[in-house]
Amino acid sequence: MERRNFLRSFLTFLGSLTLVSFVYPAARFLYPTKQNDLADKVVLHKKDVAPGSSLNITLDNKPVIVVHRRNQGFIALSRVCTHLGCLVRYDRGEDRIICPCHAAQFNLEGNVISGPAPRPLERIPLQVKSEKIYIG
Ligand code: FES
């Protein structure tokens, strides 16, 4: 192989490599791979949360409470109180969510009933499919 042909082939190879290094990331950005929507979720079994009870979990390092409301199904809410950030808990006797710091109270939809909390608790997406609960 002549030196000129070798250099031409080598430069063509480098040009192709450079082109691919720009086109491939752009294509991945425009056409991302499909991921399983349920892959990044916390999965519970329905029997893990009996009616009228709750379960505290962590989702992406965020504290979350899952409540099995009587006759209303499951709901997932952030446990971080919207007043000053204390962690709320489910009060089974009162059937509501209570903040132990300054006594804010929330209904089982996460809405403020009383106390200093300015906003409802953040609602976390939740899906129930057959016997499993997908949270996140
Ligand atoms: S932090 Fe919850 S009521 Fe103040």
Side-chain angles (χ1 to χ4, degrees):
M1 179 182 280
E2 287 184 27
R3 185 174 169 185
R4 179 176 299 219
N5 286 340
F6 172 77
L7 284 175
R8 183 175 294 150
S9 298
F10 184 69
L11 289 176
T12 301
F13 171 75
L14 285 181
S16 301
L17 201 59
T18 302
L19 184 65
V20 168
S21 71
F22 284 103
V23 170
Y24 180 74
R28 290 297 302 256
F29 176 76
L30 294 174
Y31 306 102
T33 55
K34 266 195 161 177
Q35 294 180 343
N36 183 352
D37 288 344
L38 302 177
D40 298 333
K41 301 183 185 301
V42 172
V43 182
L44 302 174
H45 288 273
K46 279 183 176 178
K47 63 183 178 190
D48 294 339
V49 192
S53 71
S54 70
L55 184 68
N56 296 333
I57 62 170
T58 302
L59 178 71
D60 295 332
N61 293 322
K62 289 193 276 186
V64 171
I65 186 169
V66 180
V67 181
H68 190 169
R69 302 168 296 179
R70 297 179 186 98
N71 303 322
Q72 289 181 293
F74 298 92
I75 189 167
L77 300 164
S78 168
R79 288 188 67 209
V80 179
C81 180
T82 55
H83 180 224
L84 293 177
C86 290
L87 296 183
V88 298
R89 64 176 176 78
Y90 174 64
D91 185 319
R92 187 180 188 142
E94 296 288 328
D95 203 27
R96 59 183 57 170
I97 297 168
I98 295 175
C99 179
C101 291
H102 310 104
Q105 296 189 17
F106 304 85
N107 66 16
L108 297 185
E109 295 290 317
N111 296 318
V112 180
I113 297 172
S114 65
R119 294 180 309 281
L121 296 171
E122 179 190 354
R123 197 164 180 163
I124 309 297
L126 178 148
Q127 287 180 294
V128 178
K129 290 187 176 179
S130 71
E131 291 303 308
K132 292 185 178 175
I133 308 167
Y134 298 89
I135 302 151

